[in-house]
């Protein structure tokens, strides 16, 4: 990919960005440019217009969520979109809730600390963040266990308040805290992002890009806010019961700094996430796939589920597309296979109405800001 090589060399000449990225890499192996003969794009992808100008000009739509089957390049697409926004004047935050931490690898920077990390080499502020869903879930359990479940029930019974203890048992708090439904960890992680955005310090961001976990997690995530809202509601009921007990027993209100106050705030954020998913004015979900029948079939099912949940979807990215080529029998056969797969998109009742965006297959790793910038220029037209 001569164009990519030229882009990176130009970036190296104009700034010390590549040196900075290499020094902050998560790996000891330096970012080495391939020989010119190896740095070429495999063919020339047919022009595809993704409507990026419209995305830049939109004054209301602020949130972009990228999701799809595992291994299709969601993280690279999300990172390249964030860079493209930043280079077009939008202060941008890109967030990953995927435990795989691919965003760190994509930017070649350590983003795992749970705090926003500045990304250098772009025209406007760009910050990246990886949230550990497991750690966020543990915070939820800790807050609930301090007053919910067996400990509180034992205390009630020892004080002769067996009836209240039985009522607590009816709430099934132990089951909620120890065996939460799949997807709870991710939505709590997204709630943590909402906490960031509520802060005055982060009001500057006009674009927030989410790199979501693979399809199965996303589908569970869509139906979870209503469930989690009800589950946290159970804990709120328990708080009210305990509050009346404290008042009647001790003649005063329940102690301040109640751990359940954290859950109450979480409940409010879950409600905001529910609205975020369904607000077509402020949010867009972009499906990422590759040109294989299996991946496209899964994308079709994902879109059906998103539509069923009233989640706004306008674009479909087909990544790793092999364009026309000569002199390579394997490439020609592979291209025919890809073209057959892409044809199924046009005939698919779920995907046929979406705006199709294509990203070319390249024969070098897309990693670091220069390479992601190049990818963004090819994809986000």
């Amino acid at each position: 990919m001569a164009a990519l090589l030229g882009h990176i060399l130009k970036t190296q000449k104009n700034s010390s960005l590549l040196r900075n990225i290499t020094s902050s890499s998560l790996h000891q192996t330096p970012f080495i440019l391939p020989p010119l003969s190896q740095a070429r794009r495999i063919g020339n992808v047919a022009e595809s217009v993704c409507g990026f100008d419209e995305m830049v000009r939109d004054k209301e739509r602020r949130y972009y969520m990228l999701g799809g089957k595992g291994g299709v390049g969601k993280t690279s697409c999300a990172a390249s979109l964030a860079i493209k926004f930043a280079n077009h004047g939008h202060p941008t935050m890109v967030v990953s809730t995927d435990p795989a931490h691919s965003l760190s690898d994509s930017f070649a920077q350590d983003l795992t600390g749970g705090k926003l990390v500045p990304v250098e080499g772009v025209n406007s502020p760009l910050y990246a963040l990886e949230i550990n869903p497991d750690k966020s879930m543990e915070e939820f359990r800790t807050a609930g266990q301090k007053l919910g479940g067996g400990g509180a029930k034992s205390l009630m019974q020892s004080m002769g308040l067996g009836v209240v203890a039985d009522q607590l048992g009816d709430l099934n708090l132990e089951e909620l805290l120890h065996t939460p439904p799949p997807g709870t960890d991710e939505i709590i992680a997204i709630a943590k992002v909402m906490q960031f955005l509520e802060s005055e310090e982060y009001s500057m961001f006009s674009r927030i890009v989410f790199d979501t976990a693979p399809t199965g997690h996303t589908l569970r995530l869509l139906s979870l806010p209503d469930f989690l809202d009800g589950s946290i509601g159970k804990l709120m009921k328990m708080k009210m019961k305990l509050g009346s007990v404290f008042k009647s027993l001790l003649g005063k209100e329940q102690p301040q700094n109640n751990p359940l106050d954290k859950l109450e705030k979480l409940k409010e954020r879950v409600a905001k996430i529910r609205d975020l998913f369904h607000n077509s004015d402020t949010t867009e979900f972009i499906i990422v796939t590759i040109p294989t029948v299996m991946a496209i079939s899964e994308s079709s099912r994902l879109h059906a589920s998103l539509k069923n949940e009233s989640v706004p979807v306008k674009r479909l990215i087909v990544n790793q597309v092999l364009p026309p080529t000569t002199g390579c029998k394997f490439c020609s056969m592979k291209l025919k296979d890809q073209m057959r797969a892409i044809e199924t998109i046009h005939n698919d009742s779920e995907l046929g109405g979406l705006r199709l965006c294509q990203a070319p297959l390249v024969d070098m790793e897309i990693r670091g800001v220069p390479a992601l910038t190049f990818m963004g220029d090819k994809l986000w037209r």
Side-chain angles (χ1 to χ4, degrees), residues 182-221:
T184 305
D185 51 357
E186 283 191 287
I187 202 164
I188 290 176
I190 293 179
K192 200 173 185 70
V193 176
M194 299 300 290
Q195 180 182 0
F196 273 115
L197 299 179
E198 289 168 3
S199 170
E200 185 67 27
E201 181 182 357
Y202 303 112
S203 61
M204 60 177 282
F205 294 112
S206 58
R207 292 293 183 271
I208 294 91
V209 179
F210 287 93
D211 171 32
T212 69
T215 303
H217 292 264
T218 301
L219 293 178
R220 290 193 294 265
L221 187 64

Side-chain angles (χ1 to χ4, degrees), residues 73-215:
K74 296 184 301 297
T75 300
S76 296
C77 292
S80 67
L81 177 58
I83 290 175
K84 188 85 170 183
F85 275 138
N87 283 336
H88 280 73
H90 283 288
T92 303
M93 178 196 303
V94 56
V95 184
S96 173
T97 59
D98 190 342
H101 297 318
S102 298
L103 198 61
S104 287
D105 296 328
S106 188
F107 279 110
Q109 291 183 239
D110 188 352
L111 310 174
T112 59
K115 297 181 180 180
L116 289 174
V117 177
V119 177
E120 300 178 6
V122 291
N123 296 337
S124 293
L126 172 60
Y127 285 78
L129 169 69
E130 281 184 338
I131 289 183
N132 188 330
D134 293 334
K135 183 177 179 181
S136 300
M137 188 64 218
E138 188 57 37
E139 292 177 2
F140 170 70
R141 287 195 183 99
T142 300
Q145 285 172 341
K146 289 184 179 181
L147 284 178
K153 289 172 63 178
S154 298
L155 176 62
M156 296 291 108
Q157 289 169 342
S158 68
M159 299 167 70
L161 299 172
V163 175
V164 176
D166 291 339
Q167 289 176 328
L168 291 178
D170 293 339
L171 296 177
N172 296 319
L173 298 176
E174 290 294 323
E175 180 181 354
L176 169 64
L177 296 173
H178 292 288
T179 57
T184 305
D185 51 357
E186 283 191 287
I187 202 164
I188 290 176
I190 293 179
K192 200 173 185 70
V193 176
M194 299 300 290
Q195 180 182 0
F196 273 115
L197 299 179
E198 289 168 3
S199 170
E200 185 67 27
E201 181 182 357
Y202 303 112
S203 61
M204 60 177 282
F205 294 112
S206 58
R207 292 293 183 271
I208 294 91
V209 179
F210 287 93
D211 171 32
T212 69
T215 303

